[in-house]
Amino acid sequence: MRTFHGLKPQDVLLLLKIIVAAELSQKDLAASLEVSPAEVSHGLKRLKVSNLLTSEGVVNKEACIEFLIHGLKYIFPSEFGPNSIGIPTSFARPGFKFVRFKKDEIYVWPHPEGELKGISLRPFYPSLPNACLKDERLYTLASLVEMLRSGRVREQDIAANEITKLIKEKK
């Protein structure tokens, strides 16, 4: 029997990257996510035990959709801080046209390369903003996840629909 000690925040980041990326080696995953190769290896094992990846490492689409939409916000709830300069996320991600908002009501991941001021939303893993700056598809999915974690009911519904479409399109 395998012992399961629960998912870690870096496992969620790893899962999001696997969902949006073509096949990457563990070394490439580690570099793109700014985690150690050992953490990638351990994370893959935890994702398989959690049934979010199959034993072959393929995304279990239905389980991922259910977990991201219904479970993640309870395991890793949103943590807000004071206004800061950062990278817009959630509904404020550039290119999202889901909701109207006032410029002073946006959420940002605090980051030195950020250009907008908003309510700081602590990323569920510290290297998430850096990884998103390198990968637009990851940025999109992570911002949708942040809509689920931090949004109102309407925003959560929109994010759930978009995440479902994105995951179901994965080959």
Side-chain angles (χ1 to χ4, degrees), residues 37-110:
E39 275 302 328
V40 169
S41 179
H42 295 302
L44 290 171
K45 288 177 187 170
R46 287 187 293 266
L47 290 168
K48 289 175 185 176
V49 170
S50 300
N51 198 33
L52 295 169
L53 296 179
T54 66
S55 58
E56 296 81 28
V58 176
V59 172
N60 180 339
K61 293 179 183 182
E62 293 303 318
C64 287
I65 291 167
E66 183 177 355
F67 170 69
L68 292 173
I69 293 171
H70 301 292
L72 182 68
K73 65 184 174 184
Y74 298 106
I75 298 170
F76 304 112
S78 297
E79 294 180 39
F80 299 99
N83 282 2
S84 64
I85 301 293
I87 300 166
T89 188
S90 187
F91 55 83
R93 184 213 186 280
F96 281 5
K97 307 272 190 236
F98 303 127
V99 293
R100 292 177 189 227
F101 56 88
K102 296 177 184 172
K103 292 276 187 203
D104 59 343
E105 294 178 346
I106 68 168
Y107 296 134
V108 298
W109 292 315

